[in-house]
Amino acid sequence: MGNNIFSFDRFIKVLKYDLRFRVMGFALLFIVLLVSVHLFYFLFDGMSEFTEIVRAEIIRLLLFSCSFIAPFKIYREFRSSRGQASFIMLPASVFEKFASMFVISLMLVPLAFLLMSLALDYFAVLLFSNMGHDGFFLRYEGFISPADIDFSLCCPVIFTLVSTAIFGNVIFKKRALAKTMLCVIAMAYILSEAVTLITDFIFWNDERVYTGTWSVIHEYVQDISEIVCLAFSVLLYAFAYWRIKKMQIS
């Protein structure tokens, strides 16, 4: 079963196994992050209203945190010899196991967190929207719309965060989360420098630099940044898959 042949039936079995025996290990922290959105409610005692913009920002931040932490908690067995042996013994190919990890980490966990956050926020608005401004409670203002979450921003960020988390989880055995976060900081610096060099090369002697057409330049820089991050993330996924494959046959 160490080959890369993909069987949809085997993939579904691995996915069900991961959801049943691995994802549940992340359930408690998932719930803590989920309710943390509304724990911020009590920190805004000096504000008149807990607006949808503020709540959307908090949900987005916690969504990123949840997406980054999830692979470390769900697949923590990679960091022990016994856990690796258990993973290797699963009757499925490397590709099927990695596909299950990819779907859970990149799709199911972030989507579940986002949908449950929006549902919880909806009920919180219904509960607190009519409360007064005085006293301990604040008033929730408005319902969060999908536009407030800004999926065009969330999707690329989550794609990059999950790629980094999966890679760090299969590379580091001790303090994987902390070490990966340090690597994220270092990689962010390297990528920013790379984008700067690419931008300088493209706009060298470009008259728009001297005429101050910064909006056009900003769009180019943003596009270049997204392309570089996307390419780097794909590379991290590839390295993680290679590491798991090496683990499987070693």
Side-chain angles (χ1 to χ4, degrees):
M1 289 296 178
N3 55 60
N4 294 330
I5 299 175
F6 182 82
S7 167
F8 185 75
D9 290 336
R10 287 202 307 263
F11 163 71
I12 293 298
K13 289 180 181 179
V14 174
L15 184 63
K16 289 180 178 179
Y17 179 88
D18 286 350
L19 289 173
R20 181 178 179 182
F21 295 105
R22 293 197 176 108
V23 175
M24 291 307 297
F26 180 59
L28 179 60
L29 183 56
F30 182 92
I31 294 172
V32 170
L33 291 173
L34 190 67
V35 299
S36 293
V37 176
H38 301 282
L39 290 179
F40 281 88
Y41 172 86
F42 300 101
L43 300 179
F44 288 90
D45 197 18
M47 296 180 60
S48 60
E49 294 173 331
F50 196 20
T51 66
E52 65 270 25
I53 296 176
V54 173
R55 300 198 315 273
E57 289 288 342
I58 297 171
I59 288 175
R60 192 159 50 236
L61 176 62
L62 292 173
L63 174 62
F64 294 156
S65 301
C66 178
S67 301
F68 183 73
I69 296 172
F72 294 100
K73 297 297 183 180
I74 297 173
Y75 296 98
R76 58 184 178 274
E77 63 184 18
F78 285 158
R79 302 194 295 275
S80 69
S81 299
R82 184 176 179 179
Q84 289 183 10
S86 175
F87 180 81
I88 292 171
M89 291 300 292
L90 282 177
S93 69
V94 180
F95 186 77
E96 291 155 358
K97 295 174 185 178
F98 184 79
S100 175
M101 185 189 311
F102 183 87
V103 169
I104 289 173
S105 301
L106 184 61
M107 301 177 187
L108 297 185
V109 169
L111 182 61
F113 186 87
L114 179 60
L115 293 178
M116 293 178 70
S117 294
L118 293 177
L120 187 61
D121 185 84
Y122 178 82
F123 288 112
V125 172
L126 292 179
L127 181 62
F128 296 116
S129 60
N130 294 324
M131 287 193 172
H133 295 251
D134 299 329
F136 183 74
F137 290 105
L138 307 174
R139 191 179 74 179
Y140 275 57
E141 179 191 75
F143 293 99
I144 295 176
S145 68
D148 295 322
I149 300 299
D150 192 0
F151 294 106
S152 62
L153 169 66
C154 290
C155 291
V157 172
I158 291 174
F159 186 82
T160 300
L161 287 175
V162 172
S163 70
T164 308
I166 290 178
F167 178 75
N169 191 53
V170 300
I171 293 297
F172 301 117
K173 289 189 175 182
K174 295 182 179 179
R175 299 189 178 95
L177 180 59
K179 290 178 180 178
T180 304
M181 290 181 67
L182 292 176
C183 290
V184 168
I185 296 173
M187 286 188 296
Y189 174 78
I190 294 172
L191 289 176
S192 65
E193 290 296 318
V195 171
T196 300
L197 291 174
I198 295 172
T199 305
D200 290 343
F201 177 78
I202 292 176
F203 292 104
W204 182 258
N205 289 329
D206 193 315
E207 63 178 6
R208 285 174 294 186
V209 175
Y210 304 100
T211 57
T213 315
W214 296 111
S215 60
V216 177
I217 297 174
H218 177 73
E219 291 180 3
Y220 275 105
V221 172
Q222 187 174 4
D223 291 340
I224 292 171
S225 300
E226 291 178 357
I227 293 173
V228 171
C229 287
L230 176 63
F232 193 77
S233 299
V234 171
L235 190 62
L236 288 181
Y237 282 118
F239 273 124
Y241 173 76
W242 171 82
R243 179 67 183 87
I244 294 173
K245 185 176 180 180
K246 185 179 179 182
M247 179 194 308
Q248 185 87 350
I249 62 177
S250 61

